[in-house]
């Protein structure tokens, strides 16, 4: 009786797991098969004939390659640098300065960045950049993305900063270091893993964002990959599936690689982000 | 203090200032083209009147229509979709390790973090009437082919958003479960509680505050997401247009910023209500402990 | 309290006070610490001893009062300008640096050339027997070795003052005894004025030339370890020193006698009548026969054999009283016990906790 129940439970568990796994995998399959298919359709099928020509076509398209390997990297890279550096400085200052209610402040900022977001935020931000003459510039995209990501970046970074014992800095100060030497020699090296995590997170966010560059970038030579991909249409307006699928795959690969890297190095999890309701 | 300055500058310019400014724009007829482009003038509440004009606001392409679609979308994909599914996965793999867990978590997380455009094309293919994988699978069970884009556009983007966002709930609940000290249910186990009793008496009460947190956050995000636009474009004939897409169309297609700002103000007001709810839920969760 | 007292102390604290918001962590502390002295600040957690140490280091700014080191007023100087060294409770060895870099850090920030730095670090490390570990990182050496590395970092630039903040509390019991002897020996050898913070009275007594016992931000008593042990000036000091601590039995003074629950003890000197505490160290009690004159009656609570001695606890009135018996034999005891005290070894405190005799 007990054995029967065990087997049924076990089977049920396996079945449900397989169903859930399938639900998450199925939509992605097309991205894995179509790029290698010389006659790709919207169908998921074994590539026949198998080919790498689609990628060759993509690489011959200078506009698309420029978007992916130059513009996207400039915009996501700039956002990554800006967010990681500014968030680190701010998180450090917040945790070491005796400011009352600083935890509440960070929470409010994170929440506020969720309020001023998406298309709603783009209305005033577009006009702001318009008057600042930053429309259609890499800098404009980087600034807007960084502004939106910073509160959460600070929030993520804060946990790392607070895990550094105060005695590290105090011992450096007593050893004779200046505050700047203390920051450079002791704090920064210890914070490096945290900066890595925030940098990867900011990069992935900026890399995948469609809305902001779609609204802010006008000229083709500055378009990042997610906007440029919409040029793979025939004159008649039908999508060229071989190119689109190959390009999508190339575009998605950095995110997969970064995910695997973070998962391997630090374990993909919430970095204390759950603390709010936690303890 | 100098360390804080850049962050404060960014947040001030790109979050606080737009938040206030959009309110001002919403009372003007600011536009990038046409007669008022050079010299926007104050129009009072006109933009809001047009938004809530009762005689036509439920028509296709109007604000009311978008709001109703959004309600269905948020309810279906966040509250009835992501949260329960995320909790189910977290519970199923609670205190389990191994390849299966790694795989399911990885694939779900991929769905969450892959670029908007890449997953949008994948889903266009997935939902295609004639060649799409979804119809192929359903067909294998004898179901009739559905033209998702024409027949069920709102259901399609709801399904998409469940797929896209469940990972967050899954990770949150998984972390919350991981935070419960094993001694809690080991004590209950020794005391003679069965699996269901342990879930009901120990896990559920400890998870409940997180559930509220999760609901409010995913509601906030789902309400503001723009990605489904890349699949249906809000169509056909505005049947899958959400408020987020409506704002985009008014402000960036018609370039009527005054009117777009009015929608943005309404959106941010809703966001603000949700965010306040989130804060209150956090405080209650803490006091309860 | 001016130039005169400043001359006879190497570290001088004058009216040192530190408030954290409404909390008074350090309250008008005056101290003179002689050159070369090993000075311990002893007290329970939260008594202000660590804050006092951090004030000397310059990690905190005093609310009031002044600090002098070697005749120089350092009150307004940053830590860098005070030429002190500090060993922290968690050692604060930087995880991203090797022991060589860790120990050499005070030299590096002083601009000492690399070659000289390495030579000096090597010299110190050899002295502390960790020279062969210099290429390792802190996580790759044992707790005891980490502690030595932290001490080496404090030694390396030959500071005027050593500050120790509970440096042994992260070691296990056996290593702690070793480290105690090692630190005491080292301090004698280099002769650097040392302020040592601890909550462990045995540690303070074993190592220090003088002890200051602190409670609630104030110094209750300063003196040599034996003086403080033999003649505690307050009930708190009496109860804090010794293991187990001094027994304190509440009662009354009446006509030259102490009247406790069920017993009377005649006292040699006359004292004013009133409520009082009788203090007896556990080693000054012995077991007596039923009805012996002056014996304190109690109910047996527990018997703990400790090897060289046996610890007996008994309930006397409302309090428990400990007795150390220097015997390896387990005594045969009934439910009731009688304890006898040498009247010349008792301490008396008035109802306010101040010593009477």
């Amino acid at each position: 009786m007990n054995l029967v129940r065990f087997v049924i439970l076990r089977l049920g568990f396996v079945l449900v797991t397989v169903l859930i796994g399938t639900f998450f995998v199925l939509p992605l399959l097309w991205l894995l098969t179509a790029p290698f298919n010389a006659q790709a359709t919207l169908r998921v099928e074994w590539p026949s004939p198998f080919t790498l020509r689609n990628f060759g076509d993509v690489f011959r398209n200078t506009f698309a390659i420029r978007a992916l390997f130059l513009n996207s990297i400039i915009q996501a890279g700039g956002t990554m640098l800006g967010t990681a550096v500014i968030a680190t400085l701010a998180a450090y200052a917040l945790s070491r300065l005796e400011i009352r209610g600083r935890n509440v402040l960070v929470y409010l900022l994170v929440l506020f960045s969720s309020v001023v977001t998406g298309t709603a935020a783009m209305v005033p931000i577009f006009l702001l950049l318009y008057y600042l003459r930053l429309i259609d510039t890499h800098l404009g995209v980087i600034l807007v993305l960084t502004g939106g990501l910073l509160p959460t970046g600070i929030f993520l970074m804060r946990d790392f900063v607070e895990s550094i014992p105060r005695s590290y800095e105090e011992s450096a100060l007593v050893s004779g270091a200046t505050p700047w030497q203390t920051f450079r020699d002791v704090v920064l090296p210890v914070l490096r893993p945290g900066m890595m995590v925030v940098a990867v997170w900011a990069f992935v966010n900026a890399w995948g964002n469609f809305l902001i560059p779609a609204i802010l970038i006008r000229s083709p030579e500055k378009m990042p990959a997610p906007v440029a991909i919409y040029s793979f249409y025939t004159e008649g307006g039908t999508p060229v599936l071989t190119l689109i699928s190959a390009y999508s795959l190339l575009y998605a690969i950095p995110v997969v690689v970064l995910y695997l890297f973070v998962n391997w190095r630090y374990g993909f999890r919430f970095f204390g982000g759950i603390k709010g309701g936690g303890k | 203090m100098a360390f804080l300055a850049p962050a404060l500058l960014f947040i001030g310019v790109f979050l606080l200032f737009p938040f206030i400014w959009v309110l001002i724009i919403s009372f003007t007829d600011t536009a990038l083209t046409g007669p008022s482009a050079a010299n926007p003038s104050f129009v009072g509440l006109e933009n809001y009147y047009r938004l809530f004009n009762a005689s036509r606001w439920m028509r296709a392409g109007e604000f009311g229509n978008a709001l109703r679609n959004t309600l269905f979308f948020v309810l279906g994909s966040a509250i009835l979709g992501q949260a329960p599914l995320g909790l189910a996965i977290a519970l199923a793999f609670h205190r389990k390790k191994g390849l299966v867990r790694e795989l399911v978590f990885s694939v779900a997380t991929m769905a969450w973090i892959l670029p908007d455009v890449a997953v949008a094309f994948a889903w266009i293919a997935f939902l295609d009437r004639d060649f799409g994988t979804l119809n192929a699978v359903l067909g294998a069970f004898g179901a009739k082919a559905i033209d998702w884009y024409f027949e069920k556009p709102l259901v399609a983007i709801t399904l998409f958003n469940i797929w896209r966002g469940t990972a967050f709930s899954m990770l949150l609940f998984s972390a919350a479960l991981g935070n419960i000290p094993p001694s809690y249910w080991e004590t209950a186990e020794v005391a003679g509680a069965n699996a269901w009793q342990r879930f009901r008496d120990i896990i559920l009460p400890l998870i409940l505050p997180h559930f509220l947190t999760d609901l409010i956050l995913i509601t906030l995000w789902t309400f503001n997401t723009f990605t489904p636009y890349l699949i249906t474009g809000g169509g056909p004939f505005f049947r899958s247009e959400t408020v987020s897409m409506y704002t985009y169309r008014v402000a960036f297609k018609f370039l009527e910023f005054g009117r777009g700002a009015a929608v943005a103000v309404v959106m941010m007001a809703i966001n603000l209500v949700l965010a306040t709810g989130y804060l209150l839920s956090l405080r209650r969760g803490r006091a309860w402990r | 309290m001016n130039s005169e007292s400043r001359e006879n102390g190497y570290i001088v604290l004058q009216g040192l006070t530190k408030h954290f918001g409404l909390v008074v962590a350090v309250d008008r502390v005056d101290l003179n610490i002689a050159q070369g002295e090993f000075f311990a600040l002893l007290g329970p957690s939260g008594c202000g001893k660590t804050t006092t140490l951090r004030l000397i280091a310059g990690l905190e700014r005093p609310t009031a009062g002044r600090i002098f080191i070697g005749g120089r007023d350092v009150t307004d100087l940053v830590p860098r300008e005070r030429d002190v060294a500090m060993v922290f409770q968690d050692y604060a060895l930087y995880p991203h640096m090797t022991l060589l870099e860790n120990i050499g850090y005070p030299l590096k920030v002083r601009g000492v050339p690399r070659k000289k730095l390495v030579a000096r670090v090597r010299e110190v490390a050899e002295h502390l027997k960790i020279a062969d570990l210099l290429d390792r990182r802190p996580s790759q050496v044992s707790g005891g070795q980490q502690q030595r590395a932290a001490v080496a970092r404090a030694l390396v630039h030959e500071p005027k003052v050593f500050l120790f903040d509970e440096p042994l509390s992260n070691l296990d019991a056996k290593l702690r005894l070793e480290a105690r002897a090692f630190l005491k020996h080292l301090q004698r050898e280099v002769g650097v004025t040392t302020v040592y913070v601890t909550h462990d009275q045995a540690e303070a007594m074993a190592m220090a030339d003088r002890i200051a016992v602190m409670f609630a931000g104030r110094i209750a008593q300063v003196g040599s370890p034996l003086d403080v042990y033999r003649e505690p000036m307050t009930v708190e000091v009496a109860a804090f020193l010794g293991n187990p601590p001094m027994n304190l039995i509440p009662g009354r003074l009446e006509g030259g006698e102490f009247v406790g629950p069920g017993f009377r003890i005649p006292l040699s000197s006359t004292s004013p009548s009133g409520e009082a505490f009788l203090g007896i160290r556990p080693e000054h009690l012995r077991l007596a026969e039923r009805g012996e004159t002056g014996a304190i009656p109690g109910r047996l609570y527990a018997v703990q054999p400790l090897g060289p001695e046996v610890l007996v606890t008994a309930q006397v009135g409302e309090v428990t009283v400990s007795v150390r018996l220097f015997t390896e034999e387990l005594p045969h005891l009934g439910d009731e016990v009688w304890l006898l005290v040498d009247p010349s070894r008792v301490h008396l405190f008035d109802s306010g906790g101040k010593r009477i005799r």
Side-chain angles (χ1 to χ4, degrees):
Chain A
M1 186 58 209
N2 249 336
L3 185 71
V4 174
R5 235 185 80 178
F6 176 79
V7 170
I8 290 176
L9 278 176
R10 196 74 216 152
L11 275 177
F13 175 74
V14 170
L15 195 72
V16 170
T17 319
V18 168
L19 266 176
I20 290 173
T22 313
F23 172 62
F24 283 108
V25 172
L26 278 186
L28 288 175
L29 288 182
W30 183 78
L31 275 184
L32 296 176
T33 57
F36 302 99
N37 195 330
Q39 278 132 29
T41 61
L42 291 175
R43 198 196 297 277
V44 171
E45 55 198 345
W46 195 250
S48 148
F50 183 92
T51 177
L52 291 176
R53 268 231 346 254
N54 298 337
F55 294 100
D57 289 346
V58 168
F59 277 100
R60 268 190 298 278
N61 185 327
T62 49
F63 163 71
I65 286 308
R66 186 188 163 86
L68 184 60
F69 290 106
L70 190 71
N71 298 337
S72 266
I73 285 181
I74 289 175
Q75 289 169 16
T79 306
M80 172 183 90
L81 269 178
T83 308
V85 170
I86 297 171
T88 304
L89 293 177
Y92 179 67
L94 271 178
S95 93
R96 293 317 191 226
L97 283 176
E98 308 281 330
I99 302 176
R100 258 160 194 277
R102 52 172 197 231
N103 290 346
V104 178
L105 184 79
V106 176
Y107 262 122
L108 285 179
L109 279 180
V110 171
L111 225 49
F112 197 67
S113 72
S114 294
V115 170
V116 185
T117 183
T119 51
M122 287 318 289
V123 176
I125 284 176
F126 179 86
L127 287 174
L128 178 67
L129 290 206
Y130 181 78
Y131 292 126
L132 291 175
R133 307 201 180 286
L134 286 174
I135 295 290
D136 202 21
T137 61
H138 290 310
L139 184 64
V141 173
I142 292 171
L143 291 179
V144 171
L145 280 167
T146 306
L149 293 176
L150 258 184
T152 313
I154 295 172
F155 180 80
L156 290 172
M157 206 58 218
R158 212 182 43 139
D159 269 12
F160 287 97
V161 174
E162 290 194 348
S163 69
I164 305 180
R166 293 268 170 127
S167 61
Y168 281 18
E169 292 146 78
E170 290 175 345
S171 120
L173 288 175
V174 176
S175 291
T178 61
W180 166 247
Q181 282 173 323
T182 305
F183 185 70
R184 188 197 58 197
D185 297 344
V186 177
V187 177
L188 266 191
V190 180
L191 279 184
R192 202 174 296 142
M195 290 183 77
M196 283 292 287
V197 168
V198 172
V200 166
W201 166 82
F203 184 88
V204 167
N205 264 284
W207 183 261
N209 195 300
F210 165 80
L211 184 67
I212 288 173
I215 289 176
L216 297 181
I217 296 292
R218 291 286 130 109
S219 48
E221 63 270 23
K222 287 178 191 147
M223 280 181 184
V227 185
I229 196 171
Y230 287 96
S231 66
F232 292 142
Y233 282 74
T234 62
E235 306 267 314
T238 44
V240 186
L241 293 176
T242 47
L243 289 185
I244 285 177
S245 59
Y247 197 63
S248 291
L249 187 61
L250 286 175
Y251 171 51
I253 280 174
V255 174
V256 178
V257 170
L258 284 172
Y259 167 77
L260 291 176
F261 169 72
V262 170
N263 202 9
W264 160 72
R265 190 71 199 276
Y266 309 105
F268 191 90
R269 62 196 153 91
F270 283 171
F271 289 93
I274 197 165
K275 245 185 188 165
K279 279 191 193 150
Chain B
M1 207 57 202
F3 282 6
L4 262 181
L8 291 179
L9 189 74
F10 263 90
I11 290 163
V13 173
F14 292 102
L15 285 179
L16 290 178
F17 176 71
F19 180 70
I20 296 158
W21 201 29
V22 73
L23 201 69
I24 299 169
I25 302 169
S26 73
F27 296 117
T28 68
D29 59 358
T30 304
L32 282 192
T33 55
S36 62
N39 245 325
S41 52
F42 184 75
V43 296
L45 289 172
E46 201 196 301
N47 291 322
Y48 292 95
Y49 285 139
R50 282 180 69 184
L51 214 54
F52 292 104
N53 185 341
S55 63
R56 50 180 300 178
W57 88 305
M58 283 313 292
R59 286 190 210 161
E62 291 296 324
F63 183 64
N65 171 64
L67 205 59
R68 188 195 50 208
N69 288 343
T70 308
L71 202 67
F72 178 92
F73 177 62
V74 169
L75 206 72
S77 68
I79 296 176
L80 298 177
Q82 291 176 9
L85 186 57
L87 180 62
I89 302 175
L91 277 174
F93 290 103
H94 181 39
R95 301 221 283 159
K96 287 200 174 67
K97 282 207 151 68
L99 194 65
V100 183
R101 184 200 141 103
E102 268 318 284
L103 281 177
V104 172
F105 270 56
S106 285
V107 179
T109 307
M110 277 303 158
W112 186 39
I113 63 174
L114 281 177
D116 289 335
V117 171
V119 296
F121 278 114
W123 267 74
I124 289 173
F126 181 63
L127 293 171
D128 187 70
R129 182 186 183 281
D130 301 318
F131 302 110
T133 317
L134 183 56
N135 278 347
V137 172
L138 293 178
F141 290 98
K144 210 164 57 85
I146 301 173
D147 193 331
W148 292 95
Y149 175 71
F150 276 111
E151 293 171 40
K152 306 259 181 237
L154 205 50
V155 175
I157 62 169
T158 302
L159 213 58
F160 164 74
N161 200 50
I162 295 174
W163 176 84
R164 178 82 163 148
T166 294
F168 174 78
S169 303
M170 174 191 84
L171 291 170
L172 184 126
F173 288 130
S174 177
L177 287 173
N179 274 357
I180 302 176
S183 61
Y184 281 26
W185 64 81
E186 279 162 6
T187 309
E189 216 171 336
V190 173
N194 64 33
W196 162 247
Q197 288 168 326
R198 289 203 297 273
F199 174 74
R200 188 194 58 195
D201 300 337
I202 292 146
I203 294 182
L204 204 60
L206 288 174
I207 281 254
L208 221 53
H210 296 301
F211 205 82
L212 198 56
T213 300
D214 179 64
L215 278 186
I216 294 172
L217 284 179
I218 59 179
T219 301
L220 195 60
W221 294 334
T222 304
F223 180 67
N224 287 288
T225 184
F226 184 71
T227 318
Y229 180 85
L230 301 176
I231 299 173
T232 67
F237 202 55
F238 310 116
R239 268 165 54 207
S240 65
E241 184 174 73
T242 62
V243 175
S244 166
M245 303 177 199
Y246 177 80
T247 313
Y248 176 79
R249 189 161 55 88
V250 171
F252 298 104
K253 281 260 168 87
F254 302 160
L255 300 177
E256 289 182 36
F257 281 91
R259 207 146 71 87
V263 199
V265 168
V266 174
M267 277 187 84
M268 287 189 195
I270 295 171
N271 286 345
L272 214 54
V273 170
L274 290 170
T276 312
Y278 171 72
L279 274 185
L280 292 178
S281 83
L282 278 187
R283 276 186 46 192
R284 241 195 48 200
R286 229 176 266 157
W288 178 72
R289 231 139 267 243
Chain C
M1 276 296 152
N2 41 41
S3 58
E4 194 194 4
S5 63
R6 224 177 294 157
E7 271 156 27
N8 52 38
Y10 189 72
I11 302 174
V12 177
L13 311 183
Q14 283 181 359
L16 198 62
T17 301
K18 176 68 183 176
H19 294 205
F20 291 110
L22 292 174
V23 181
V24 183
V26 177
D27 190 8
R28 285 163 287 161
V29 163
D30 296 307
L31 269 184
N32 277 341
I33 298 168
Q35 181 147 30
E37 191 172 20
F38 196 124
F39 192 90
L41 283 172
L42 174 66
S45 62
C47 74
K49 55 188 192 305
T50 295
T51 306
T52 306
L53 192 77
R54 293 165 58 84
L55 285 163
I56 299 173
L59 293 170
E60 306 280 354
R61 281 287 157 106
T63 311
R66 308 222 62 87
I67 303 165
F68 300 88
I69 295 176
R72 189 166 62 124
D73 186 341
V74 300
T75 316
D76 298 318
L77 300 184
V78 297
R80 191 156 44 97
E81 297 159 341
R82 298 190 181 197
D83 202 13
V84 297
M86 184 160 168
V87 176
F88 288 78
Q89 184 168 7
D90 60 3
Y91 313 140
L93 292 172
Y94 311 131
H96 57 286
M97 297 184 188
T98 61
L99 290 199
L100 177 83
E101 290 169 291
N102 262 297
I103 298 169
Y105 191 66
L107 299 177
K108 186 188 159 197
V109 295
R110 282 175 172 76
V112 173
R114 180 81 188 166
K115 235 171 148 178
K116 263 180 85 179
L117 180 147
V118 174
R120 171 67 184 151
V121 170
R122 213 155 264 300
E123 184 188 346
V124 174
E126 247 149 53
H127 195 91
L128 299 191
K129 303 193 174 64
I130 48 172
D132 48 339
L133 304 172
L134 284 178
D135 294 333
R136 305 227 193 133
R137 286 173 196 270
S139 56
Q140 297 165 319
V141 303
S142 73
Q145 290 162 339
Q146 285 178 18
Q147 201 251 352
R148 280 166 183 254
V151 172
R153 184 170 63 186
L155 275 175
V156 77
H157 68 286
E158 297 170 320
K160 291 198 198 112
V161 172
F162 280 160
L163 304 172
F164 288 96
D165 184 12
E166 309 246 7
L168 306 187
S169 59
N170 278 357
L171 299 177
D172 60 42
K174 184 175 158 284
L175 272 176
R176 201 177 307 169
L177 283 183
E178 270 176 42
R180 223 152 84 175
F182 156 72
L183 279 185
K184 186 165 185 173
H185 175 80
L186 187 72
Q187 198 270 343
R188 285 274 177 282
E189 202 176 31
V190 295
V192 174
T193 313
T194 299
V195 186
Y196 188 102
V197 161
T198 181
H199 67 275
D200 181 340
Q201 48 89 23
E203 209 170 287
M205 291 197 53
M207 299 173 81
D209 298 319
R210 282 197 303 151
I211 294 177
V213 189
M214 286 186 79
F215 291 102
R218 310 214 59 174
I219 290 186
Q221 188 170 358
V222 184
S224 77
L226 281 180
D227 285 349
V228 177
Y229 186 77
R230 285 192 187 131
E231 250 182 53
M233 297 310 290
T234 68
V235 168
E236 283 108 345
V237 176
F240 197 73
L241 262 64
N243 184 28
M246 185 185 282
N247 298 304
L248 290 161
I249 305 170
R252 291 186 57 78
L253 285 175
E254 273 173 24
E257 283 188 322
F258 179 86
V259 185
F263 68 95
R264 288 166 171 273
I265 293 175
L267 302 165
S268 43
S269 60
T270 53
S271 320
S273 300
E275 310 241 314
F277 290 97
L278 178 72
I280 316 161
R281 295 244 172 243
E283 58 266 37
H284 298 148
L285 280 168
R286 60 183 180 80
L287 293 174
E289 296 299 316
R290 169 190 289 267
E292 223 169 298
T293 45
I296 303 171
R299 303 189 70 79
L300 187 66
Y301 186 74
V303 179
Q304 305 172 52
L306 299 174
E309 62 189 55
V310 176
L311 191 65
V312 175
T313 33
Q315 184 87 27
V316 175
E318 299 290 302
V319 296
T320 44
V321 168
S322 308
V323 183
R324 282 171 79 180
L325 302 174
F326 296 94
T327 167
E328 295 182 16
E329 304 284 312
L330 266 187
H332 294 284
L333 292 171
D335 238 12
E336 304 199 338
V337 289
W338 281 266
L339 309 171
L340 207 59
V341 61
D342 174 357
S344 68
R345 310 301 284 268
V346 302
H347 308 257
L348 279 177
F349 303 94
D350 64 20
S351 54
K354 283 242 167 16
R355 182 179 188 83
I356 301 172
R357 55 148 273 203

